[in-house]
Amino acid sequence: VRDVTVKYVLPNKVLIQVEEREPFVLIPYIGAFLVADREGYVLETVERQEDMPLPVVKGLDFTGYQVGQVLNMEYTDNFNMLIILLNALTEEEKNDNFKLVDQIDIIDVSDTDNIRVFVDSRLVVNYGDLYDISYRIKMSKQIIQKNIDKNEKGILDFTKGDYPVFIPGY
């Protein structure tokens, strides 16, 4: 439960509105996955990734967890970068039919200056430090949708200069 509002409605009713937390990402933890929301609250644990079709996040350092509580993270910079990236993806995809976020398998935030996203088990998009992330997301979506074949594997790198570079075959 994220928020609860209770209102008394005259003459004899009570209105209770409940806002639930929404699953956002999966975080690997000792042979299982933690399901977390946008604020880092652990909602539940699942044994297999297939049980919950969400992106897996790697690179978060935490000392422990308790279901219903915020992850006990040593450094929150990595989680903040994750939120920035996923919020930008969500915002960019509001009015677009091509949803990159639905194709993301893994998000690696272990290095905050080198954020990587693994797409469709065949592409690695290296966004770097998330500078001008909206532009980088637009460009990556256009390149993936129009210039990279559905069977082609490789790395789409935004850290090699002003323009993205595609390195096929990796």
Side-chain angles (χ1 to χ4, degrees), residues 92-110:
E92 187 57 43
E93 296 187 343
K94 278 184 179 175
N95 300 319
D96 196 351
N97 291 333
F98 180 70
K99 306 286 187 198
L100 184 61
V101 75
D102 294 340
Q103 298 179 29
I104 293 175
D105 300 317
I106 299 170
I107 301 170
D108 186 355
V109 294
S110 56

Side-chain angles (χ1 to χ4, degrees), residues 48-64:
R48 300 176 321 171
Q49 182 179 351
E50 296 80 26
D51 294 341
M52 189 74 67
L54 296 170
V56 174
V57 177
K58 293 187 177 180
L60 295 178
D61 293 325
F62 57 96
T63 55

